[in-house]
Amino acid sequence: MKYVGDKVSYVRNPFARNSYYCLVLAVLSLALAGTSMYLSVSQAGQGGLNTGALGFASIMAALMGLWYGLLSFREKERNYILAKIGISIGLVLLIIWVVIIITGLMR
């Protein structure tokens, strides 16, 4: 809701342009992470270069999604819900990848 003087404006704001990129990259990152983890589990932890490449691509897509999500908040008078969803997915995936990497380095 936007207040114009003493009246309330119910005009819906359009989505931020960069929030579409953010959400698409977050979903792509989620798909790449799922594929990488599936390959690793199906090969009993002996995943080859493909597994690592998918994981790295997932991390890069999540980072780029976060970047576009932050850029979308610079657009004025827009709806940011897609950016908030994309940033949430990206942050959760990055935390999961950091935990996986730290766990792998500790062994």
Side-chain angles (χ1 to χ4, degrees):
M1 252 182 340
K2 178 178 163 186
Y3 290 97
V4 179
D6 59 346
K7 298 178 184 176
V8 176
S9 173
Y10 291 100
V11 175
R12 296 193 183 261
N13 292 332
F15 291 114
R17 176 178 290 147
N18 287 323
S19 66
Y20 291 114
Y21 301 129
C22 174
L23 188 61
V24 167
L25 284 168
V27 171
L28 175 67
S29 176
L30 188 62
L32 289 170
T35 305
S36 175
M37 290 179 195
Y38 171 76
L39 287 175
S40 180
V41 169
S42 68
Q43 296 174 359
Q46 299 299 320
L49 291 176
N50 292 336
T51 306
L54 288 172
F56 182 73
S58 172
I59 293 170
M60 289 297 110
L63 287 173
M64 287 304 298
L66 288 175
W67 175 253
Y68 278 113
L70 294 174
L71 285 180
S72 69
F73 288 116
R74 297 186 75 187
E75 300 176 29
K76 301 294 181 198
E77 299 294 325
R78 300 292 180 159
N79 190 348
Y80 305 116
I81 188 69
L82 296 179
K84 290 177 184 177
I85 293 170
I87 286 175
S88 301
I89 293 171
L91 280 177
V92 168
L93 279 172
L94 284 176
I95 290 170
I96 290 171
W97 279 119
V98 166
V99 168
I100 288 172
I101 289 170
I102 289 173
T103 304
L105 292 175
M106 294 294 180
R107 289 191 112 207

